[in-house]
Amino acid sequence: MKKRITMAALTLLLVLPNFIDAQESDFGNWLVYIGNKKLDSKWNIHNEVQYRSYNAIDDLEQLLLRTGIGYNLSENNNNILLGYGYILSQNYTEGIDDKIDVNEHRIFQQFTTKQKIGSVALSHRYRFEQRFVEADFKMRFRYFLGFNIPLTGKEDNKYYLSGYNEIFLNTESSVFDRNRMYGGLGYKFNKSLKIEIGYMNQFFETSNRDQLNIITFFNF
């Protein structure tokens, strides 16, 4: 079992630099915290903080704060959620070193359903966003398909592989917004806390962007 974990970690470390070299894009870093507070068997509160940097950590690209209240249509599954997000983006403009602040307020509705195929856990998320970006109003649809594959047995089910693909579609012209593809290695400390480290590529219409992601999940 330890050999499987070691091979997975080595594969991630070996493949990641090849992805970076293959893309003409800057390599950034995302630090992500995702929390979930279970109020009872049906209701939950979602909270999330993302610090996105142009490089390792000290050049803010985007700060995202997101929260929402959800309701399970069935036991521990089929969750509908109404949420709000605040996003501060600091964008560079071509030929200028100074950054421009862009503020966004976002309302979103989502439906998440989970399923299991053998030992593989799948998650589908459908999200519809209403975005107030400075003086502009935009709407966007997102579909997320994620998976977790345990690398250890039931007695010691701590290490796992994680991956997802998420596509973003606008409701107006230029329908395709972006696609995110992620793969990482995770570790479960206990039932409430797990952490992942992985590589994500964002594909836009005319460019690509690479990020190292460090994600903490906390249920309380």
Side-chain angles (χ1 to χ4, degrees):
M1 202 60 62
K2 290 183 178 179
K3 289 183 179 179
R4 292 173 64 186
I5 298 169
T6 303
M7 287 299 297
L10 287 174
T11 301
L12 181 63
L13 291 173
L14 290 172
V15 171
L16 192 148
N18 293 330
F19 275 117
I20 299 170
D21 291 340
Q23 309 293 340
E24 292 184 0
S25 60
D26 297 325
F27 189 69
N29 180 34
W30 287 19
L31 300 176
V32 181
Y33 161 80
I34 298 175
N36 185 65
K37 171 63 175 177
K38 190 175 180 180
L39 300 177
D40 56 31
S41 62
K42 292 292 186 180
W43 294 93
N44 69 286
I45 295 176
H46 173 85
N47 51 88
E48 185 176 338
V49 180
Q50 297 191 24
Y51 181 94
R52 303 173 178 179
S53 177
Y54 283 105
N55 49 41
I57 195 170
D58 61 346
D59 190 3
L60 177 66
E61 177 181 8
Q62 195 171 73
L63 175 66
L64 185 149
L65 307 174
R66 187 184 284 134
T67 189
I69 185 164
Y71 180 82
N72 291 326
L73 299 176
S74 59
E75 187 175 357
N76 296 319
N77 198 7
N78 297 318
N79 184 267
I80 54 174
L81 184 140
L82 174 64
Y84 164 79
Y86 169 73
I87 300 92
L88 169 64
S89 301
Q90 294 189 342
N91 302 329
Y92 284 107
T93 55
E94 188 174 354
I96 301 175
D97 292 333
D98 294 334
K99 293 189 288 186
I100 298 174
D101 288 356
V102 178
N103 292 279
E104 177 180 346
H105 298 274
R106 185 181 300 174
I107 300 170
F108 65 96
Q109 305 81 39
Q110 71 179 36
F111 172 71
T112 304
T113 184
K114 302 175 183 178
Q115 63 182 131
K116 232 178 176 184
I117 302 177
S119 61
V120 180
L122 296 176
S123 177
H124 304 266
R125 185 180 70 205
Y126 308 85
R127 178 180 289 172
F128 184 52
E129 299 176 327
Q130 299 84 53
R131 307 172 59 206
F132 301 85
V133 186
E134 296 292 347
D136 294 333
F137 175 71
K138 306 176 182 180
M139 292 190 293
R140 185 168 65 183
F141 175 78
R142 299 163 60 165
Y143 170 65
F144 170 102
L145 172 61
F147 68 85
N148 281 341
I149 304 175
L151 294 175
T152 51
K154 291 183 178 179
E155 302 82 7
D156 186 31
N157 191 10
K158 292 185 177 181
Y159 293 94
Y160 63 93
L161 291 176
S162 176
Y164 71 77
N165 191 83
E166 185 173 21
I167 187 168
F168 297 63
L169 301 174
N170 297 312
T171 59
E172 299 178 356
S173 58
S174 186
V175 174
F176 176 77
D177 186 277
R178 70 190 67 191
N179 189 84
R180 290 177 181 168
M181 185 175 293
Y182 166 85
L185 179 66
Y187 179 82
K188 293 181 181 179
F189 292 91
N190 50 51
K191 291 182 179 180
S192 300
L193 179 64
K194 63 181 180 180
I195 190 169
E196 292 180 15
I197 182 169
Y199 159 84
M200 185 187 73
N201 176 258
Q202 288 199 85
F203 176 75
F204 303 94
E205 190 172 355
T206 58
S207 64
N208 289 274
R209 186 77 197 279
D210 304 294
Q211 279 94 19
L212 173 70
N213 285 9
I214 301 174
I215 310 172
T216 301
F217 299 89
F218 184 47
N219 296 315
F220 58 98

